[in-house]
Amino acid sequence: MSELRVVRAGTVPYEDAWAWQRELHEARVAGTGPDTMLLLEHPPVYTAGKRTAAHERPFDGTPVIDVDRGGKITWHGPGQLVGYPIVALADPVDVVAHVRRMEQALIGVCASVGLGTGAVEGRSGVWVRADERGPDRKVAAIGVRVARGVTMHGFALNCDPDMAAFSNMVPCGIPDAGATSLSAELGRDVPVAEVIDAVEAAMREVLTAVPA
């Protein structure tokens, strides 16, 4: 386990944060920078991973930023806590295990505010399982890229965002499931500020690295 530097950056435009990730990634690969996790929010933006199909994009032609992570399309915006861990993974690199560790960390965070969630086989992210209120609903999305043994991109936890943004697309390319938030599920306002300490602590526990 190496030291993890956490930067709480406030609100950062998506493309600026993406460039920042690339700089941190290069430094980590070169051994000149530490494992780092950025915690932030974005102004409203849609981003599409490499597997996004045309019919999954916003129905009204809203611009989309195509990115180099796995996964499909998602939305980022105020009220959603986004985390970008740029960490070196142990050899042999196991990307699925990295995703599962982040899922378990966020499941614990959700439990700490009173929401029961879990993982769904074959689907990444953290889910509220189907109940009388509706089908399976994703409360946290995960999409990563690993290059030269170092991770990029990460997770997005819906705290109290404007959920209308998710109705303008097929979120994560999954037509038979929905998106939700901590606030929607718990029936009270759960701002980013309420969970950011718990997210940082949980991620520190699960994000491991080895010297590059």
Side-chain angles (χ1 to χ4, degrees):
M1 174 79 73
S2 69
E3 183 63 28
L4 178 68
R5 181 173 71 108
V6 177
V7 181
R8 298 188 183 188
T11 299
V12 181
Y14 185 86
E15 288 173 301
D16 292 348
W18 191 12
W20 192 1
Q21 284 191 72
R22 291 194 293 268
E23 292 172 7
L24 292 168
H25 183 272
E26 287 297 322
R28 186 65 187 92
V29 168
T32 58
D35 287 341
T36 302
M37 180 172 67
L38 305 178
L39 288 176
L40 47 81
E41 294 177 69
H42 290 305
V45 63
Y46 290 101
T47 71
K50 293 179 288 186
R51 296 189 300 112
T52 303
H55 73 275
E56 294 160 353
R57 292 172 179 265
F59 309 132
D60 62 359
T62 299
V64 175
I65 298 175
D66 289 283
V67 297
D68 58 353
R69 61 167 169 78
K72 296 199 172 191
I73 193 164
T74 193
W75 174 88
H76 297 304
Q80 181 191 75
L81 178 58
V82 179
Y84 295 130
I86 296 90
V87 300
L89 297 181
D91 192 37
V93 169
D94 188 336
V95 180
V96 173
H98 173 61
V99 171
R100 296 292 172 263
R101 286 191 291 268
M102 290 194 291
E103 287 173 349
Q104 289 305 310
L106 293 172
I107 288 169
V109 170
C110 291
S112 74
V113 295
L115 179 62
T117 60
V120 174
E121 187 174 352
R123 294 176 171 177
S124 68
V126 175
W127 296 80
V128 178
R129 299 311 301 261
D131 56 18
E132 68 280 356
R133 298 179 59 194
D136 289 348
R137 306 179 291 283
K138 183 181 284 192
V139 70
I142 295 177
V144 303
R145 176 173 185 248
V146 179
R148 292 175 286 172
V150 177
T151 67
M152 290 180 66
H153 304 289
F155 61 88
L157 175 63
N158 293 331
C159 299
D160 61 347
D162 178 1
M163 295 303 296
F166 290 94
S167 65
N168 189 33
M169 59 169 185
V170 180
C172 301
I174 302 172
D176 60 338
T180 190
S181 68
L182 297 176
S183 296
E185 295 296 329
L186 295 171
R188 65 177 180 85
D189 191 34
V190 185
V192 166
E194 182 174 334
V195 298
I196 191 169
D197 288 346
V199 169
E200 177 176 337
M203 288 296 166
R204 282 189 183 277
E205 284 191 14
V206 303
L207 292 173
T208 60
V210 295

